[in-house]
Amino acid sequence: MSNTTQIIYTKTDEAPALATYSFLPIIEAFTKPSGIEVISKDISLAGRILALFPDYLKPEQQVADALTELGQLAKTPEANIIKLPNISASVPQLKAAIAELQSLGYKIPNYPSNPITDEEKDIQNRYNKVKGSAVNPVLREGNSDRRAPKSVKNYAKKNPHSMGVWSANSKTHVATMQHGDFYSNEKSITVANPTDIKIEFVNSKGDTTVLKDKFPLLAGEIIDATLMSKKALLNFLDTQIKDAKEKNVLFSLHMKATMMKVSDPIIFGHAVTVFFKDVFEKHGVVLKELGVNVNNGFGDLIAKIQTLPQDKKEAIETTIKSSFENGPAVAMVNSDKGITNLHVPSDVIIDASMPAMIRTSGKMWNAEGKLQDTKAVIPDSSYAGIYQATIEFCKENGAFDPTTMGTIPNVGLMAQKAEEYGSHDKTFEIQEDGIVQVVDNSGNILLQNNVEKGDIWRMCQVKDAPIQDWIKLAVTRARATNTPAIFWLDKNRAHDAEIIKKVNTYLPNFDTNGLDIQIMAPKEATLFTLKRLKDGEDTISVTGNVLRDFLTDLFPILELGTSAKMLSIVPLMNGGGLFETGAGGSAPKHVEQFIEEGHLRWDSLGEFLALAASLEHLGETCNNPKALILAETLDDATDKFLDKDKSPSRKVGELDNRGSHFYLALYWAQALAAQTKDAELKNKFGKIAEEMQSKEAVIIKELNNAQGKPVAIGGYYEPNETLVVNAMRPSKTLNAIIDSIS
């Protein structure tokens, strides 16, 4: 793995994984003549699950722990990793993957929701390692540099995506808590010296329970402690449900239950319980006996009552119907199938769902399949204001115009599990009234919060070195682009106040002469940025980890119509590079269409962009001029690909993902044939380009003929490799050309 001529290409899940079976052979073929080895590493949900349980599997079924391997590689200068979108598994997804693997003959254990024995606790602890954002914190040993490449931005201006028409009278708004939430209760300190800390709970009797045993802190590390009050949350949800009914707007809950895998499913469950209050009051005993877990969404209740005798089932369904009739209309994930916003926690992810709603004039789909104004419920107020500010801006100024608007790159603090996304193992649902305290190895209480039963308490942290690297990256990007850079930090939030101290301390260490670098609270920064965006001006957003995730969906979806077309580079702190390929939120729908119709509409543009950046990095760090030529010509090919509009169509029988890969390969070969820096590559790919061009009609016919009928792939989480290869490489003519490159 230390071979510096290697690029690691990750195998992940769903549509990106299917696309990899088509695109990876092209990558391997085009890079082979330059002495570059492309290695595939399986970090899919299924692969990560199997890696957890070697003791349950036959020797031939055991798999390597690729994620741990790559986590170690990411800390070295040799790292060059292309990371595709992966499933951040909710519990329902995790259980579905387990069931599928069991059906394929892998004798792994079931997920124990309520472990009792030591064995069950061990099994749950293992599975918890793959829940939520299990991949990103391991690989992200650097901060994020995310932006829309010039070619993509130019394409969006020439071919603007649709934007809904905003009305000044729109009733759409964001509802968020005014007290009792994570923002309101946060406490934060910077640790002066290295120490070990532990998290303890002390009940009203003075009995102490260790929630998390000692773990180290470095000098200069920032730690936070905060809580979400259950009482305040329930009151807030009840008020918003009633208000949505009164205002005749859709009730829509927007959470991050995949990434915030401990706190947000609990909050989601409370929303289900409050919305269907009558159901749980009248049928609570039966539902408890069935093992209904509201943290898995309303869909868990629906699934489990199917096992009841008909009369009991109908009684519950009658109460459910009454709850829908007496409550507000609920935003729908799938109106045709009756899947509401409250059915599955992983169906509505805030960073994708809120921008999509804003792009569609602030409306979401109702049960009749029509768009309707919406109450977007975001319980924690830490970042809810950015969406409300955007909605207010659109009401006043109308929809953005993709042909004239600017662009908003992002420099994101995320290295070494920075901030909220690193808090999973330090988040707890409190079982009784008491105090949670963070204690150092000298017995000093660093932070403490009074808590009540049912509250959600969490601690998060960010190390000093990543903050310094983040500030440096922000200055570097501002200098390189001569663009204003705004640190989105709120002096009234405890955590941000500590970060601001560090920005003020470290910023003078860098040359900022002539640069426009400011600190603004998120709402203020949103309005400043939106005005510039509408006027066609660019602004760099410099943010923490969660806000990075939110903004790198919000602005790209408005600018480009999708966040999948962003270039996402992570300059690793020890010199390597991680290249991410965009968002995968729509991947499940793409798989569904592929299985039903044989048409994969996944757009691999993000992979094209990441590969070019990866090759450029390899060329520069390894003094490989051929890699630099591959990067330059791939960029040229991508420009041509966009200009000729060869992205996948949504309709069966038209160009899909496999056809788009052919055209990218054709244009890449043509660019290599046209360049004059390397005669060997010019001659080799000149012949390839000629053959592809001459056989274009045959290849496209073979690819399109593979569509229009159901496709068997042998599994959703662990598809059969032979079946997928056959499905994703259906053109014998193209395969022969690609396989002939040496």
Side-chain angles (χ1 to χ4, degrees):
M1 266 232 213
S2 62
N3 188 336
T4 55
T5 60
Q6 283 188 352
I7 293 174
I8 306 298
Y9 201 90
T10 55
K11 174 189 173 186
T12 56
D13 307 281
E14 299 176 321
L18 294 177
T20 296
Y21 283 97
S22 169
F23 188 44
L24 186 56
I26 295 171
I27 299 173
E28 292 169 336
F30 274 65
T31 55
K32 192 186 303 179
S34 301
I36 300 167
E37 187 178 15
V38 182
I39 306 294
S40 179
K41 289 289 181 179
D42 184 358
I43 59 169
S44 66
L45 177 58
R48 289 182 282 129
I49 289 172
L50 294 177
L52 292 171
F53 294 100
D55 47 329
Y56 284 74
L57 301 174
K58 300 173 184 176
E60 64 271 19
Q61 293 178 321
Q62 295 173 5
V63 300
D65 186 351
L67 181 58
T68 297
E69 291 178 12
L70 294 186
Q72 292 302 314
L73 178 65
K75 297 176 182 178
T76 70
E78 296 80 24
N80 191 319
I81 304 167
I82 297 176
K83 190 253 169 193
L84 279 68
N86 63 280
I87 291 175
S88 294
S90 62
V91 172
Q93 288 172 305
L94 178 60
K95 288 182 175 181
I98 293 167
E100 181 176 304
L101 289 168
Q102 290 171 337
S103 73
L104 294 172
Y106 296 98
K107 295 185 178 179
I108 54 175
N110 291 323
Y111 176 78
S113 299
N114 300 295
I116 298 174
T117 68
D118 288 344
E119 181 183 15
E120 289 174 338
K121 291 176 182 177
D122 172 63
I123 291 169
Q124 188 191 62
N125 286 335
R126 292 201 221 182
Y127 276 129
N128 285 345
K129 293 178 181 178
V130 300
K131 280 167 54 179
S133 56
V135 172
N136 292 338
V138 175
L139 298 184
R140 287 174 172 168
E141 287 291 328
N143 292 308
S144 170
D145 173 8
R146 202 152 191 245
R147 56 191 186 270
K150 186 177 292 185
S151 59
V152 174
K153 187 65 177 172
N154 288 340
Y155 177 82
K157 288 182 175 181
K158 292 178 185 176
N159 304 273
H161 51 275
S162 63
M163 299 285 274
V165 178
W166 273 89
S167 165
N169 298 321
S170 169
K171 293 189 288 185
T172 290
H173 63 279
V174 171
T176 192
M177 296 174 70
Q178 302 302 308
H179 62 87
D181 61 343
F182 290 127
Y183 176 92
S184 305
N185 291 314
E186 188 172 75
K187 299 176 181 179
S188 185
I189 61 166
T190 300
V191 179
N193 301 305
T195 187
D196 290 333
I197 62 171
K198 60 183 176 180
I199 302 171
E200 297 178 337
F201 171 75
V202 183
N203 68 12
S204 56
K205 298 177 182 177
D207 301 325
T208 300
T209 303
V210 176
L211 298 178
K212 184 173 177 62
D213 213 343
K214 73 174 186 176
F215 57 99
L217 296 181
L218 302 177
E221 194 157 354
I222 297 172
I223 61 171
D224 313 322
T226 188
L227 66 115
M228 169 77 74
S229 162
K230 179 181 177 180
K231 286 181 181 176
L233 173 64
L234 296 181
N235 287 335
F236 164 76
L237 291 168
D238 186 60
T239 299
Q240 299 312 317
I241 290 167
K242 291 175 181 175
D243 188 63
K245 176 74 171 179
E246 182 180 321
K247 288 186 168 62
N248 191 30
V249 292
L250 296 178
F251 177 86
S252 184
L253 181 67
H254 297 263
M255 302 292 301
K256 188 77 169 176
T258 50
M259 289 289 196
M260 305 304 290
K261 60 186 179 183
V262 179
S263 59
D264 284 22
I266 297 171
I267 297 170
F268 195 96
H270 286 315
V272 172
T273 304
V274 175
F275 192 93
F276 297 101
K277 186 186 303 182
D278 289 349
V279 176
F280 288 93
E281 286 180 354
K282 293 180 181 179
H283 310 285
V285 174
V286 174
L287 297 178
K288 186 175 182 180
E289 290 173 354
L290 287 172
V292 170
N293 185 349
V294 290
N295 293 3
N296 295 336
F298 180 58
D300 190 69
L301 183 152
I302 295 297
K304 285 177 177 170
I305 65 172
Q306 304 307 314
T307 63
L308 289 172
Q310 191 66 21
D311 58 336
K312 289 187 176 181
K313 176 188 167 188
E314 289 179 353
I316 295 175
E317 288 175 339
T318 298
T319 311
I320 291 171
K321 183 179 179 183
S322 175
S323 294
F324 278 124
E325 290 173 347
N326 295 327
V330 186
M332 305 299 287
V333 171
N334 189 321
S335 301
D336 293 337
K337 297 182 178 179
I339 306 298
T340 73
N341 176 273
L342 297 174
H343 265 68
V344 183
S346 56
D347 272 353
V348 182
I349 306 303
I350 182 172
D351 40 332
S353 60
M354 284 301 300
M357 183 188 80
I358 292 169
R359 180 186 160 189
T360 318
S361 66
K363 299 176 187 290
M364 295 187 74
W365 299 101
N366 62 24
E368 288 73 44
K370 297 179 181 178
L371 289 169
Q372 184 175 339
D373 287 344
T374 303
K375 175 189 284 289
V377 176
I378 305 172
D380 181 44
S381 62
S382 297
Y383 307 116
I386 67 169
Y387 296 116
Q388 180 60 28
T390 306
I391 289 169
E392 290 170 357
F393 187 89
C394 290
K395 287 181 184 180
E396 182 178 345
N397 297 282
F400 289 90
D401 181 354
T403 66
T404 60
M405 64 196 297
T407 189
I408 314 297
N410 178 266
V411 173
L413 175 61
M414 66 179 191
Q416 300 178 359
K417 303 182 180 180
E419 301 187 320
E420 293 98 325
Y421 283 175
S423 68
H424 314 311
D425 61 342
K426 299 175 286 291
T427 302
F428 306 94
E429 186 174 24
I430 304 304
Q431 301 304 310
E432 57 179 318
D433 295 358
I435 298 171
V436 178
Q437 52 195 31
V438 179
V439 184
D440 70 11
N441 55 10
S442 299
N444 300 311
I445 298 174
L446 303 182
L447 295 167
Q448 71 175 23
N449 305 89
N450 294 321
V451 292
E452 298 178 334
K453 182 178 180 179
D455 290 351
I456 305 166
W457 184 94
R458 80 172 184 213
M459 187 199 116
C460 67
Q461 61 198 105
V462 55
K463 296 175 175 60
D464 186 70
I467 295 174
Q468 293 190 49
D469 181 78
W470 173 60
I471 296 168
K472 177 184 176 182
L473 184 58
V475 174
T476 300
R477 292 305 303 159
R479 175 72 63 194
T481 59
N482 194 29
T483 302
I486 309 300
F487 283 86
W488 293 46
L489 296 168
D490 180 359
K491 66 181 180 181
N492 296 316
R493 179 183 174 187
H495 169 81
D496 284 9
E498 295 299 307
I499 295 279
I500 288 171
K501 292 177 188 176
K502 289 185 179 286
V503 172
N504 289 332
T505 298
Y506 294 131
L507 200 54
N509 295 341
F510 306 101
D511 178 14
T512 60
N513 185 45
L515 300 181
D516 182 359
I517 298 178
Q518 302 180 54
I519 298 173
M520 296 183 185
K523 184 174 181 179
E524 179 188 6
T526 302
L527 294 172
F528 177 85
T529 301
L530 290 174
K531 185 179 185 306
R532 290 177 56 83
L533 185 67
K534 192 167 186 67
D535 292 343
E537 296 178 310
D538 304 341
T539 315
I540 299 170
S541 59
V542 188
T543 69
N545 198 355
V546 175
L547 199 46
R548 167 199 61 83
D549 223 9
F550 290 2
L551 298 191
T552 56
D553 270 309
L554 174 60
F555 293 124
I557 286 173
L558 296 178
E559 291 177 39
L560 312 173
T562 175
S563 58
K565 296 181 179 180
M566 294 287 282
L567 176 61
S568 185
I569 299 174
V570 182
L572 299 173
M573 291 174 64
N574 289 330
L578 175 67
F579 307 91
E580 299 186 285
T581 68
S586 58
K589 294 180 181 178
H590 292 186
V591 177
E592 182 180 351
Q593 183 183 15
F594 183 66
I595 291 172
E596 292 176 356
E597 300 182 333
H599 181 94
L600 184 66
R601 70 175 189 264
W602 174 258
D603 190 341
S604 292
L605 180 61
E607 287 94 298
F608 306 161
L609 300 171
L611 177 60
S614 167
L615 288 166
E616 182 180 17
H617 176 80
L618 187 145
E620 292 173 348
T621 57
C622 303
N623 192 27
N624 185 328
K626 288 183 183 293
L628 291 174
I629 292 169
L630 287 170
E632 291 170 8
T633 53
L634 178 53
D635 279 336
D636 291 341
T638 302
D639 281 343
K640 188 173 182 179
F641 173 91
L642 289 169
D643 189 55
K644 290 189 174 291
D645 199 16
K646 296 301 182 182
S647 295
S649 162
R650 290 176 171 269
K651 296 181 180 180
V652 65
E654 299 178 353
L655 197 74
D656 80 344
N657 176 265
R658 296 163 292 188
S660 72
H661 290 164
F662 161 69
Y663 279 109
L664 189 281
L666 171 61
Y667 301 150
W668 195 3
Q670 290 174 338
L672 284 164
Q675 58 82 31
T676 57
K677 295 179 180 178
D678 189 297
E680 181 186 357
L681 290 176
K682 180 181 181 69
N683 293 333
K684 183 179 291 292
F685 283 97
K687 296 173 184 176
I688 296 299
E690 288 177 8
E691 189 174 6
M692 285 186 174
Q693 183 73 65
S694 67
K695 296 178 179 178
E696 176 185 2
V698 174
I699 292 169
I700 293 300
K701 183 177 180 180
E702 289 176 347
L703 292 173
N704 287 350
N705 283 348
Q707 300 182 41
K709 51 186 176 293
V711 178
I713 60 174
Y716 186 89
Y717 297 96
E718 181 72 350
N720 180 283
E721 185 163 341
T722 301
L723 293 175
V724 178
V725 168
N726 291 337
M728 292 306 301
R729 300 191 72 196
S731 171
K732 293 181 180 180
T733 306
L734 176 59
N735 296 347
I737 297 172
I738 296 299
D739 296 344
S740 72
I741 301 174
S742 61

